[in-house]
Amino acid sequence: MQRVSTTVEHSSITIETGRQLPTDLVLLERKGLGHPDTLADHLAEELSRAYSRYTLDRFGAVLHHNFDKLALLGGSCEVRYGAGRMTAPVKVLVNGRAAYACGGEDIPVRELVEQAVHAFFHDRLPELVGHLDLVFNITSNPSPGAVVTDESGTDRSRWFAPRSVDDLRERHTLLANDTSLGTGWAPMAPFEQFAHALVNHLSGVSEFTRANPWCGSDVKLMGHFDGAKAEAILCVPQKSEHVPDRAAYLANKEEVLAECARFAEQHLGGVEVTFLLNARDVPEKDELYLTYTGSSIESGDEGVVGRGNRVNGLITPLRPMNLEGASGKNPVYHVGKLYNLAATRLAQRLYEETGSYAEVHLVSATGQRLDQPWKVLVRLSAEDPDIDKVQAQVALALGGFPELTAELVHHGVRLS
């Protein structure tokens, strides 16, 4: 293994080459589109996007906000064969901060949030429409560090109450909001790609879910691959209105297992895959994963931003990870969002450039330039890559944050 270190501007860049390839042992988890944690992640990101678009349209800039502490508290539900109903609403705790005005013009923060929340659940879990209880805790309190010395106030105190967009420091220089890190690696192993795709197939809009309206979206997969054979524990709920009796539920389970086997043959041909589905079922007692909405959020479960899939859509304890909750963060300068996405994409480009495993870590220093991380660590399995080309890819990634912001705001990049 060789290591090259250099300093560019204020960034310390370390590139390791000849790193040992990861083993073929895989342990992973993916939470589907209806899982409460995924719902929290995606809703927080939708709120950030709605607020960003509004303020960009009205004022020409994304004003300060963060919704990355959002939480969902499960309601209560009564489920029967062929029927179901909500008996208590799902609480949506919208925690965060946002500017409520700019230059004397009010921003309808509450209305923006309400519209985004209802539109999100209408699309994702329509059965919950009319059964949501929104709890607002959105302040415009400034971050620590605004020391009062006279009547004029400090720049920091105006970040969430700008007199105009010129009060936003990022209009002049993009600075990191926090000391944090972003992590990325590539490529995904075939079993990782398979798990990601299978959960999307069963929890999203697909030929299978269109043909089987009983299939709920709160799908979860825990997977293991030892280099020869793969095993997966799956949870796939069924929607009670489309399941008339126990026999239908059990028949539907067989359909899911058959679809999993077909999908495995298509994506992992030649690899033996064993599936265990809804392991907690006790059919003779009618204890089944039968739901009204297709998600456990209907009945006591909770969802919190950052507890689910990482930016690449997987939870991979044998791979490098960090614990940042990227969703709902400000897309302009919040490193917990931008560095994770940039590191993941940079790792993919380095893999394509070198033809071998690549790993990237970007570490910020709060208040320092966003495009000049405190530390950049690149770890490559390639023995003798062109270091100049690697550094050029790093520079390209670090210079691309404005374009990344525009993509997040306008094109709805999915972060988990």
Side-chain angles (χ1 to χ4, degrees):
M1 185 180 72
Q2 294 184 335
R3 183 177 297 163
V4 176
S5 297
T6 186
T7 300
V8 179
E9 299 292 344
H10 296 287
S11 295
S12 169
I13 302 176
T14 300
I15 301 171
E16 283 187 349
T17 62
R19 181 185 182 275
Q20 184 177 358
L21 281 167
T23 72
D24 55 6
L25 184 65
V26 175
L27 184 65
L28 62 79
E29 181 180 359
R30 173 154 175 79
K31 297 177 179 180
L33 298 180
H35 189 285
D37 290 329
T38 308
L39 292 171
D41 279 336
H42 291 183
L43 177 56
E45 190 61 14
E46 195 58 41
L47 296 184
S48 172
R49 192 174 301 117
Y51 183 86
S52 296
R53 288 173 175 171
Y54 181 91
T55 58
L56 192 60
D57 180 60
R58 296 293 299 173
F59 308 107
V62 174
L63 297 189
H64 286 199
H65 70 277
N66 59 274
F67 300 108
D68 57 324
K69 304 301 187 293
L70 180 143
L72 304 175
L73 303 185
S76 179
C77 190
E78 181 181 275
V79 174
R80 300 175 182 273
Y81 290 118
R85 67 185 184 96
M86 296 297 298
T87 58
V90 170
K91 287 187 181 294
V92 182
L93 306 185
V94 187
N95 303 312
R97 289 185 294 175
Y100 278 83
C102 179
E105 181 179 341
D106 290 340
I107 300 168
V109 176
R110 189 181 185 99
E111 290 82 354
L112 286 170
V113 168
E114 287 178 341
Q115 290 172 9
V117 169
H118 288 296
F120 175 83
F121 280 103
H122 183 272
D123 176 63
R124 195 66 67 90
L125 293 176
E127 294 88 354
L128 284 181
V129 174
H131 302 284
L132 299 170
D133 181 9
L134 275 64
V135 180
F136 287 82
N137 183 31
I138 305 173
T139 76
S140 54
N141 300 333
S143 301
V147 179
V148 178
T149 58
D150 55 40
E151 296 299 321
S152 63
T154 65
D155 290 343
R156 188 183 297 261
S157 67
R158 290 190 284 270
W159 288 354
F160 283 87
R163 298 164 299 186
S164 74
V165 294
D166 288 334
D167 278 339
L168 308 178
R169 66 177 186 177
E170 64 270 19
R171 298 280 287 180
H172 312 285
T173 306
L174 275 175
L175 303 178
N177 77 304
D178 196 3
T179 299
S180 188
L181 64 114
T183 300
W185 51 268
M188 282 189 185
F191 183 65
E192 290 165 333
Q193 296 177 36
F194 162 76
H196 192 289
L198 177 61
V199 172
N200 287 355
H201 181 68
L202 294 175
S203 69
V205 177
S206 67
E207 185 176 336
F208 180 79
T209 56
R210 283 193 293 265
N212 298 288
W214 47 261
C215 188
S217 59
D218 190 357
V219 176
K220 179 172 156 179
L221 183 151
M222 188 73 71
H224 175 266
F225 178 67
D226 66 3
K229 65 180 186 300
E231 300 170 274
I233 300 176
L234 271 166
C235 294
V236 179
Q238 296 183 30
K239 299 176 76 169
S240 58
E241 286 190 315
H242 303 282
V243 182
D245 50 38
R246 184 198 298 173
Y249 176 90
L250 295 175
N252 292 340
K253 282 184 67 172
E254 292 304 315
E255 277 204 58
V256 173
L257 288 169
E259 181 69 5
C260 290
R262 185 198 67 79
F263 207 80
E265 180 61 31
Q266 179 182 350
H267 289 78
L268 292 172
V271 175
E272 178 188 348
V273 187
T274 302
F275 295 97
L276 178 61
L277 176 62
N278 295 357
R280 199 166 66 178
D281 282 357
V282 186
E284 62 273 17
K285 294 184 178 180
D286 290 307
E287 293 179 7
L288 310 169
Y289 196 10
L290 191 64
T291 65
Y292 172 53
T293 65
S295 173
S296 61
I297 196 64
E298 73 183 26
S299 186
D301 207 351
E302 296 88 19
V304 180
V305 170
R307 292 189 70 256
N309 307 317
R310 302 298 88 195
V311 164
N312 67 356
L314 296 174
I315 301 167
T316 51
L318 304 186
R319 302 280 205 174
M321 293 197 308
N322 67 64
L323 299 180
E324 277 287 355
S327 299
K329 292 186 185 302
N330 189 304
V332 179
Y333 59 89
H334 275 204
V335 287
K337 171 180 283 185
L338 293 168
Y339 276 19
N340 273 291
L341 188 54
T344 298
R345 292 187 172 184
L346 176 55
Q348 180 64 31
R349 287 198 294 269
L350 291 173
Y351 159 65
E352 294 167 358
E353 180 82 36
T354 66
S356 191
Y357 177 79
E359 183 180 304
V360 175
H361 304 270
L362 305 177
V363 189
S364 65
T366 186
Q368 304 305 301
R369 282 183 50 157
L370 184 72
D371 60 354
Q372 296 178 9
W374 175 57
K375 300 290 181 184
V376 178
L377 307 180
V378 176
R379 309 175 78 190
L380 304 172
S381 291
E383 292 286 349
D384 190 27
D386 186 325
I387 297 298
D388 288 340
K389 288 185 177 180
V390 172
Q391 291 179 333
Q393 289 288 359
V394 172
L396 185 66
L398 296 182
F401 289 116
E403 291 77 14
L404 199 55
T405 295
E407 188 178 350
L408 284 162
V409 172
H410 295 297
H411 301 297
V413 180
R414 180 165 284 171
L415 294 177
S416 61

